[in-house]
Amino acid sequence: MLEIKDLSYIVDSEDGKKTIIDNISLTIDDGKFTVITGPNGGGKSTLAKLIAGIVKPTSGSILLDGEDITDMSITDRAMRGISYAFQQPVKFKGLQVFDLLKIAAGKERNLKVNDACTYLSEVGLCARDYINREVNSSLSGGELKRIEIATVLARGTKMSVFDEPEAGIDLWSFQNLTRIFENMRKDIKDGSIIVISHQERILKVADEIIVLADGKIVNQGEGANILPQIMGTNSAVRPCSKLGEEA
């Protein structure tokens, strides 16, 4: 279980101090597929980075299963079971897909080729065509996204955080991405999945939706109850926005 208590994130700007996350508190239970949505500039991606440890809060605390991880590094949080998938997946020139999956799985698991192929198949990629490919610019945005998700699956972490997974991919790739999330939701057991998104098809997968605007939680609840409330409201979510548009 993830607990966020009185969390704030304030940065310096040309106009003085700017509050990005404004004293929010929330709990994300295990076994849930949670989508955090809201208008551009509302603080969604910043909240994801705070959970992952990429940025540090100005005040407040973050607890994972009762343990305070507020001051922990990205590495320490990863060791405790938090995975983070970037809006734009990182490219690794000279590193093959199989090697990347082995690194993600960790030395103790000693990932085999058959295991790697299974993870690639789960994200809709033909293992034979991708297992020895370099993770570089020869891969499309959609391919990189799916390979990144395969690394998250290979890690088998307790909490997986996806920041705007639809950014920079085409419609066909997005449709496949949605199916992957639908399958991941079915397989959730003790862990949880957090997705930052304003796409309707991803919102429909959610067990719980959290609406963030101006750094504050303005709505939260079961997906089936919250989605009808926010559909068509420009202030909360833009489900018809173009794929790849920045949030």
Side-chain angles (χ1 to χ4, degrees), residues 18-38:
K18 182 178 180 180
T19 300
I20 309 298
I21 298 295
D22 191 0
N23 195 40
I24 69 171
S25 297
L26 64 90
T27 298
I28 297 177
D29 294 322
D30 290 342
K32 295 293 182 87
F33 189 106
T34 301
V35 177
I36 300 175
T37 192

Side-chain angles (χ1 to χ4, degrees), residues 42-181:
K44 304 185 300 296
S45 291
T46 298
L47 180 58
K49 291 181 174 67
L50 287 165
I51 293 170
I54 296 172
V55 296
K56 300 295 183 182
T58 304
S59 60
S61 58
I62 304 172
L63 287 80
L64 181 66
D65 293 336
E67 181 181 17
D68 193 333
I69 63 170
T70 311
D71 296 322
M72 287 186 183
S73 66
I74 299 173
T75 301
D76 288 337
R77 294 188 198 206
M79 291 176 65
R80 281 161 176 78
I82 296 178
S83 294
Y84 180 86
F86 291 87
Q87 284 190 26
Q88 301 296 333
V90 180
K91 302 180 182 70
F92 300 94
K93 186 176 180 180
L95 186 68
Q96 293 183 337
V97 170
F98 178 52
D99 296 325
L100 182 62
L101 290 170
K102 285 183 67 177
I103 293 170
K107 292 181 179 179
E108 64 280 1
R109 291 186 59 190
N110 191 25
L111 191 76
K112 305 298 184 183
V113 172
N114 286 343
D115 299 321
C117 290
T118 297
Y119 293 127
L120 290 173
S121 296
E122 286 185 28
V123 297
L125 295 176
C126 177
R128 181 183 59 225
D129 295 338
Y130 287 90
I131 194 73
N132 295 319
R133 290 278 298 275
E134 282 193 19
V135 189
N136 57 24
S137 56
S138 69
L139 296 167
S140 70
E143 289 171 327
L144 287 167
K145 289 278 186 180
R146 284 190 273 175
I147 290 169
E148 184 178 48
I149 293 174
T151 65
V152 172
L153 295 175
R155 284 201 62 206
T157 48
K158 181 175 181 60
M159 174 168 289
S160 302
V161 183
F162 296 89
D163 186 8
E164 300 278 356
E166 70 270 16
I169 63 174
D170 56 49
L171 180 59
W172 185 86
S173 295
F174 175 67
Q175 291 171 340
N176 280 277
L177 182 68
T178 305
R179 284 194 287 270
I180 292 166
F181 282 138

